[in-house]
Amino acid sequence: MGEGAELRPIEPWQAEELLAHVERAREYAGPWVPFTVKVTDVESARAHLQHFAERQAADTGRFYGIWLDGTLVGGVLFRIFDTAVESCEVGVWLEPSAAGRGLITNACRVLIDWAVDQRGMHRVEWLVSSRNDRSKGVAKRLGFVRDGVLRESFPWQGIRHDMEVWSVLAPEWREARAEREAAEGRD
């Protein structure tokens, strides 16, 4: 993950920590990440985390935090995790103090490696508003390919967003990882 960074699940008992993080992230992530607007108190934070704890128990989703020097600064999740069709969707968020450090890219690599190598996922998706250039940049850096646009499919905060669907397939992911590792080995 990088120096001082740690990736681990966020659990319901950490509701106060999640709320404090959301307060710092709300303005930056709120235009794109609904839970950062909907989590407004400890009770809603706990309910959100409980929802994902139940989804993890059912093997249909997961919710991870990124801690930097002991402070929760962002996270990654499997919004959809469907082993029957070997497909999942990754989502991300961050607070502005942690931007530009590669934390999201590195955390996504860990999650996608696990999903592909351990759980047999064939397709990993990334859904993003056409207006969210930062998130699209991460998808590109990770090697995702833009599949298409779901026009005006997501109403959020008074705007109907076009949602872009990006994906990477397991063979593409493995090939890109091998190329990255070979390039890193040459340094």
Side-chain angles (χ1 to χ4, degrees), residues 46-103:
R46 187 173 291 110
H48 180 76
L49 293 172
Q50 184 62 42
H51 169 75
F52 270 95
E54 291 167 6
R55 293 193 61 204
Q56 181 166 334
D59 203 23
T60 60
R62 288 179 166 54
F63 196 80
Y64 297 90
I66 299 170
W67 280 262
L68 185 59
D69 298 323
T71 300
L72 179 62
V73 296
V76 292
L77 62 88
F78 286 119
R79 193 181 76 81
I80 297 170
F81 197 83
D82 189 337
T83 58
V85 295
E86 300 173 343
S87 182
C88 58
E89 179 194 335
V90 175
V92 302
W93 73 95
L94 199 60
E95 61 186 62
S97 67
R101 300 173 187 234
L103 296 171

Side-chain angles (χ1 to χ4, degrees), residues 108-128:
C108 285
R109 285 183 177 145
V110 170
L111 255 64
I112 296 168
D113 281 347
W114 177 81
V116 168
D117 296 339
Q118 302 299 314
R119 299 307 308 279
M121 290 294 164
H122 177 73
R123 177 181 170 88
V124 181
E125 292 185 347
W126 188 283
L127 269 67
V128 58

